[in-house]
Amino acid sequence: MAASLVCLLAFTSCEKEKAITPEQLPAAAKTYIETTYPGVKILFAKEESELFSTEYKVQLENRMEIKFDSDGVPLDVDMD
């Protein structure tokens, strides 16, 4: 049990989240947003890094939230 807790804490501490500019998104993510939602502005973007992966979350001014993988491929689209 104690070993499991230590492993869980080690993995949790490796997660990092930071705000980024739209220009810092992968090119494929920017292209997806520009072609799918032309003229819609990005309100904020953030990068979520874990031990072996990175994902990006983007909030658009039309209340859409899009999650991308590290290559900029959309994983999930939600309407708020």
Side-chain angles (χ1 to χ4, degrees):
M1 174 87 170
S4 297
L5 182 58
V6 170
C7 288
L8 178 63
L9 290 174
F11 283 112
T12 304
S13 65
C14 292
E15 295 178 14
K16 295 179 184 174
E17 186 175 300
K18 68 177 181 176
I20 60 172
T21 65
E23 292 76 26
Q24 293 174 295
L25 289 167
K30 291 188 285 187
T31 300
Y32 174 84
I33 294 168
E34 291 168 0
T35 57
T36 308
Y37 305 101
V40 178
K41 294 180 182 178
I42 296 174
L43 293 180
F44 73 85
K46 63 183 174 179
E47 178 184 85
E48 297 178 344
S49 298
E50 294 184 13
L51 190 58
F52 297 108
S53 67
T54 300
E55 291 182 349
Y56 298 89
K57 287 189 180 178
V58 175
Q59 178 78 43
L60 303 178
E61 69 179 350
N62 65 356
R63 299 174 43 184
M64 297 292 282
E65 186 172 296
I66 309 168
K67 184 189 301 185
F68 296 95
D69 69 10
S70 61
D71 295 322
V73 176
L75 299 173
D76 189 35
V77 178
D78 289 325
M79 180 67 142
D80 192 27

